[in-house]
Short mmCIF file of all heavy atoms in Angstrom, two decimals:
data_model
loop_
_atom_site.label_atom_id
_atom_site.label_comp_id
_atom_site.label_asym_id
_atom_site.label_seq_id
_atom_site.Cartn_x
_atom_site.Cartn_y
_atom_site.Cartn_z
N ARG A 1 2.54 5.59 -1.34
CA ARG A 1 1.47 5.63 -2.36
C ARG A 1 0.38 4.61 -2.02
O ARG A 1 0.01 3.76 -2.82
CB ARG A 1 2.03 5.40 -3.77
CG ARG A 1 2.90 6.55 -4.23
CD ARG A 1 3.27 6.46 -5.68
NE ARG A 1 2.14 6.52 -6.60
CZ ARG A 1 1.54 7.63 -7.01
NH1 ARG A 1 1.94 8.81 -6.58
NH2 ARG A 1 0.54 7.57 -7.87
N ARG A 2 -0.13 4.76 -0.78
CA ARG A 2 -1.11 3.79 -0.29
C ARG A 2 -2.26 4.50 0.39
O ARG A 2 -2.08 5.36 1.26
CB ARG A 2 -0.43 2.83 0.68
CG ARG A 2 -1.35 1.77 1.22
CD ARG A 2 -0.65 0.77 2.13
NE ARG A 2 0.02 1.44 3.23
CZ ARG A 2 1.29 1.23 3.56
NH1 ARG A 2 2.04 0.38 2.91
NH2 ARG A 2 1.82 1.88 4.58
N LEU A 3 -3.47 4.11 0.01
CA LEU A 3 -4.68 4.55 0.68
C LEU A 3 -5.23 3.34 1.41
O LEU A 3 -5.30 2.24 0.86
CB LEU A 3 -5.71 5.06 -0.33
CG LEU A 3 -7.08 5.43 0.23
CD1 LEU A 3 -6.99 6.66 1.14
CD2 LEU A 3 -8.08 5.66 -0.89
N SER A 4 -5.61 3.54 2.68
CA SER A 4 -6.20 2.43 3.42
C SER A 4 -7.38 2.92 4.24
O SER A 4 -7.50 4.10 4.55
CB SER A 4 -5.17 1.74 4.31
OG SER A 4 -4.60 2.66 5.21
N ARG A 5 -8.23 1.98 4.57
CA ARG A 5 -9.40 2.26 5.41
C ARG A 5 -9.46 1.16 6.45
O ARG A 5 -9.54 -0.03 6.10
CB ARG A 5 -10.67 2.28 4.58
CG ARG A 5 -11.90 2.60 5.40
CD ARG A 5 -13.12 2.67 4.54
NE ARG A 5 -14.20 3.27 5.29
CZ ARG A 5 -15.40 3.44 4.80
NH1 ARG A 5 -15.68 3.09 3.56
NH2 ARG A 5 -16.33 3.98 5.54
N ALA A 6 -9.38 1.57 7.71
CA ALA A 6 -9.39 0.62 8.83
C ALA A 6 -8.35 -0.48 8.61
O ALA A 6 -8.60 -1.65 8.85
CB ALA A 6 -10.79 0.03 8.99
N GLY A 7 -7.17 -0.08 8.12
CA GLY A 7 -6.07 -1.01 7.93
C GLY A 7 -6.08 -1.80 6.64
O GLY A 7 -5.12 -2.49 6.33
N GLU A 8 -7.17 -1.72 5.87
CA GLU A 8 -7.27 -2.46 4.62
C GLU A 8 -6.86 -1.54 3.45
O GLU A 8 -7.40 -0.45 3.29
CB GLU A 8 -8.70 -2.95 4.39
CG GLU A 8 -8.87 -3.77 3.15
CD GLU A 8 -10.28 -4.31 3.00
OE1 GLU A 8 -10.93 -4.54 4.03
OE2 GLU A 8 -10.71 -4.48 1.86
N VAL A 9 -5.91 -2.00 2.66
CA VAL A 9 -5.41 -1.21 1.53
C VAL A 9 -6.47 -1.14 0.44
O VAL A 9 -7.10 -2.15 0.10
CB VAL A 9 -4.10 -1.81 0.96
CG1 VAL A 9 -3.66 -1.06 -0.29
CG2 VAL A 9 -3.01 -1.77 2.02
N ILE A 10 -6.68 0.07 -0.08
CA ILE A 10 -7.64 0.31 -1.15
C ILE A 10 -6.86 0.67 -2.40
O ILE A 10 -6.18 1.70 -2.43
CB ILE A 10 -8.60 1.46 -0.77
CG1 ILE A 10 -9.35 1.10 0.50
CG2 ILE A 10 -9.55 1.75 -1.92
CD1 ILE A 10 -10.13 2.24 1.09
N PRO A 11 -6.93 -0.16 -3.44
CA PRO A 11 -6.17 0.15 -4.65
C PRO A 11 -6.78 1.35 -5.39
O PRO A 11 -8.00 1.50 -5.46
CB PRO A 11 -6.29 -1.12 -5.49
CG PRO A 11 -7.49 -1.83 -4.97
CD PRO A 11 -7.67 -1.41 -3.54
N LEU A 12 -5.90 2.20 -5.90
CA LEU A 12 -6.32 3.35 -6.70
C LEU A 12 -5.46 3.41 -7.95
O LEU A 12 -4.27 3.07 -7.91
CB LEU A 12 -6.13 4.66 -5.94
CG LEU A 12 -7.15 5.07 -4.91
CD1 LEU A 12 -6.75 6.40 -4.27
CD2 LEU A 12 -8.54 5.20 -5.52
N MET A 13 -6.05 3.86 -9.03
CA MET A 13 -5.28 4.11 -10.25
C MET A 13 -4.28 5.22 -9.95
O MET A 13 -4.56 6.09 -9.11
CB MET A 13 -6.21 4.51 -11.38
CG MET A 13 -7.25 3.46 -11.74
SD MET A 13 -6.54 1.93 -12.36
CE MET A 13 -5.95 2.47 -13.94
N PRO A 14 -3.12 5.24 -10.61
CA PRO A 14 -2.08 6.23 -10.29
C PRO A 14 -2.54 7.68 -10.33
O PRO A 14 -2.22 8.45 -9.42
CB PRO A 14 -1.01 5.95 -11.34
CG PRO A 14 -1.18 4.51 -11.68
CD PRO A 14 -2.66 4.27 -11.59
N LYS A 15 -3.28 8.08 -11.35
CA LYS A 15 -3.70 9.48 -11.43
C LYS A 15 -4.78 9.82 -10.41
O LYS A 15 -4.85 10.94 -9.91
CB LYS A 15 -4.16 9.85 -12.85
CG LYS A 15 -3.01 9.92 -13.83
CD LYS A 15 -1.97 10.93 -13.38
CE LYS A 15 -0.82 11.02 -14.33
NZ LYS A 15 0.24 11.91 -13.89
N ALA A 16 -5.62 8.86 -10.05
CA ALA A 16 -6.60 9.09 -8.99
C ALA A 16 -5.87 9.29 -7.66
O ALA A 16 -6.24 10.16 -6.87
CB ALA A 16 -7.58 7.93 -8.90
N PHE A 17 -4.81 8.52 -7.44
CA PHE A 17 -4.01 8.70 -6.23
C PHE A 17 -3.35 10.08 -6.23
O PHE A 17 -3.37 10.78 -5.24
CB PHE A 17 -2.94 7.60 -6.11
CG PHE A 17 -2.19 7.68 -4.82
CD1 PHE A 17 -2.65 7.00 -3.70
CD2 PHE A 17 -1.04 8.44 -4.71
CE1 PHE A 17 -1.97 7.09 -2.49
CE2 PHE A 17 -0.35 8.54 -3.51
CZ PHE A 17 -0.82 7.86 -2.40
N ASP A 18 -2.77 10.46 -7.37
CA ASP A 18 -2.13 11.78 -7.48
C ASP A 18 -3.14 12.90 -7.20
O ASP A 18 -2.82 13.87 -6.51
CB ASP A 18 -1.52 11.98 -8.88
CG ASP A 18 -0.36 11.05 -9.15
OD1 ASP A 18 0.20 10.46 -8.19
OD2 ASP A 18 0.00 10.91 -10.34
N LEU A 19 -4.34 12.76 -7.73
CA LEU A 19 -5.38 13.76 -7.50
C LEU A 19 -5.74 13.82 -6.02
O LEU A 19 -5.89 14.91 -5.45
CB LEU A 19 -6.62 13.43 -8.34
CG LEU A 19 -7.83 14.32 -8.15
CD1 LEU A 19 -7.51 15.78 -8.47
CD2 LEU A 19 -8.98 13.83 -9.03
N LEU A 20 -5.85 12.67 -5.38
CA LEU A 20 -6.16 12.64 -3.95
C LEU A 20 -5.07 13.34 -3.15
O LEU A 20 -5.36 14.08 -2.21
CB LEU A 20 -6.34 11.20 -3.48
CG LEU A 20 -6.72 11.00 -2.02
CD1 LEU A 20 -7.98 11.77 -1.65
CD2 LEU A 20 -6.89 9.51 -1.73
N VAL A 21 -3.81 13.14 -3.50
CA VAL A 21 -2.71 13.82 -2.82
C VAL A 21 -2.82 15.33 -3.00
O VAL A 21 -2.67 16.09 -2.04
CB VAL A 21 -1.34 13.30 -3.32
CG1 VAL A 21 -0.21 14.16 -2.79
CG2 VAL A 21 -1.14 11.85 -2.91
N VAL A 22 -3.12 15.78 -4.21
CA VAL A 22 -3.29 17.22 -4.45
C VAL A 22 -4.40 17.77 -3.58
O VAL A 22 -4.25 18.82 -2.95
CB VAL A 22 -3.55 17.51 -5.95
CG1 VAL A 22 -4.00 18.95 -6.16
CG2 VAL A 22 -2.31 17.20 -6.78
N LEU A 23 -5.52 17.08 -3.50
CA LEU A 23 -6.65 17.54 -2.68
C LEU A 23 -6.29 17.53 -1.20
O LEU A 23 -6.60 18.48 -0.47
CB LEU A 23 -7.88 16.68 -2.94
CG LEU A 23 -8.48 16.81 -4.34
CD1 LEU A 23 -9.53 15.73 -4.56
CD2 LEU A 23 -9.06 18.18 -4.57
N ALA A 24 -5.63 16.49 -0.75
CA ALA A 24 -5.27 16.38 0.67
C ALA A 24 -4.27 17.46 1.07
O ALA A 24 -4.33 17.98 2.19
CB ALA A 24 -4.70 15.00 0.97
N THR A 25 -3.35 17.80 0.19
CA THR A 25 -2.32 18.79 0.53
C THR A 25 -2.79 20.22 0.32
O THR A 25 -2.06 21.15 0.64
CB THR A 25 -1.04 18.56 -0.29
OG1 THR A 25 -1.34 18.62 -1.69
CG2 THR A 25 -0.40 17.23 0.05
N SER A 26 -4.00 20.40 -0.17
CA SER A 26 -4.52 21.75 -0.41
C SER A 26 -5.04 22.41 0.87
O SER A 26 -5.39 23.59 0.84
CB SER A 26 -5.62 21.73 -1.46
OG SER A 26 -6.79 21.15 -0.93
N ASN A 27 -5.12 21.65 1.95
CA ASN A 27 -5.60 22.18 3.24
C ASN A 27 -6.97 22.83 3.14
O ASN A 27 -7.22 23.87 3.74
CB ASN A 27 -4.58 23.17 3.82
CG ASN A 27 -3.28 22.51 4.14
OD1 ASN A 27 -3.26 21.40 4.68
ND2 ASN A 27 -2.18 23.15 3.80
N GLY A 28 -7.84 22.26 2.34
CA GLY A 28 -9.20 22.76 2.21
C GLY A 28 -9.36 23.93 1.27
O GLY A 28 -10.45 24.44 1.08
N LYS A 29 -8.27 24.38 0.64
CA LYS A 29 -8.32 25.49 -0.31
C LYS A 29 -9.08 25.07 -1.55
O LYS A 29 -8.93 23.96 -2.05
CB LYS A 29 -6.90 25.91 -0.68
CG LYS A 29 -6.83 26.98 -1.71
CD LYS A 29 -5.38 27.28 -2.11
CE LYS A 29 -5.37 28.15 -3.34
NZ LYS A 29 -4.38 27.73 -4.30
N LEU A 30 -9.91 25.97 -2.06
CA LEU A 30 -10.65 25.72 -3.29
C LEU A 30 -9.67 25.71 -4.45
O LEU A 30 -8.86 26.63 -4.61
CB LEU A 30 -11.71 26.81 -3.49
CG LEU A 30 -12.61 26.67 -4.70
CD1 LEU A 30 -13.48 25.42 -4.57
CD2 LEU A 30 -13.50 27.90 -4.82
N LEU A 31 -9.70 24.65 -5.25
CA LEU A 31 -8.81 24.52 -6.40
C LEU A 31 -9.62 24.53 -7.69
O LEU A 31 -10.64 23.85 -7.78
CB LEU A 31 -8.01 23.22 -6.31
CG LEU A 31 -7.15 23.03 -5.05
CD1 LEU A 31 -6.60 21.62 -4.99
CD2 LEU A 31 -6.04 24.05 -5.04
N SER A 32 -9.16 25.27 -8.68
CA SER A 32 -9.85 25.33 -9.97
C SER A 32 -9.58 24.06 -10.76
O SER A 32 -8.62 23.32 -10.49
CB SER A 32 -9.37 26.54 -10.77
OG SER A 32 -8.02 26.35 -11.19
N LYS A 33 -10.41 23.81 -11.76
CA LYS A 33 -10.19 22.67 -12.64
C LYS A 33 -8.80 22.75 -13.26
O LYS A 33 -8.08 21.76 -13.32
CB LYS A 33 -11.22 22.65 -13.78
CG LYS A 33 -12.59 22.23 -13.39
CD LYS A 33 -13.43 22.19 -14.65
CE LYS A 33 -14.88 22.38 -14.33
NZ LYS A 33 -15.70 22.41 -15.54
N GLN A 34 -8.46 23.94 -13.73
CA GLN A 34 -7.17 24.12 -14.39
C GLN A 34 -6.01 23.83 -13.45
O GLN A 34 -5.03 23.18 -13.83
CB GLN A 34 -7.05 25.53 -14.98
CG GLN A 34 -5.83 25.69 -15.85
CD GLN A 34 -5.80 24.71 -17.00
OE1 GLN A 34 -6.78 24.53 -17.71
NE2 GLN A 34 -4.68 24.02 -17.18
N GLU A 35 -6.12 24.29 -12.21
CA GLU A 35 -5.06 24.03 -11.24
C GLU A 35 -4.92 22.53 -10.96
O GLU A 35 -3.81 21.99 -10.89
CB GLU A 35 -5.31 24.79 -9.94
CG GLU A 35 -4.19 24.67 -8.94
CD GLU A 35 -4.38 25.53 -7.71
OE1 GLU A 35 -5.39 26.24 -7.59
OE2 GLU A 35 -3.49 25.46 -6.84
N LEU A 36 -6.05 21.85 -10.82
CA LEU A 36 -6.01 20.41 -10.59
C LEU A 36 -5.38 19.69 -11.78
O LEU A 36 -4.51 18.83 -11.60
CB LEU A 36 -7.42 19.87 -10.35
CG LEU A 36 -8.07 20.24 -9.02
CD1 LEU A 36 -9.53 19.84 -9.02
CD2 LEU A 36 -7.33 19.60 -7.86
#
């Protein structure tokens, strides 16, 4: 549960992190608001 940039950890709120995981795992698929 870690986001980093050039080795530096970037803190994220839990739900923002969860949203980022959903987007990253979508493989570029368009996701509706409801699905997100």
Side-chain angles (χ1 to χ4, degrees):
R1 292 190 62 82
R2 181 177 56 230
L3 174 68
S4 58
R5 182 177 193 181
E8 183 177 330
V9 175
I10 300 170
L12 280 179
M13 300 297 289
K15 289 302 180 184
F17 186 89
D18 294 344
L19 177 59
L20 182 55
V21 170
V22 169
L23 293 170
T25 58
S26 72
N27 296 318
K29 176 184 168 223
L30 183 64
L31 302 171
S32 69
K33 286 184 205 177
Q34 189 58 48
E35 185 175 0
L36 289 170

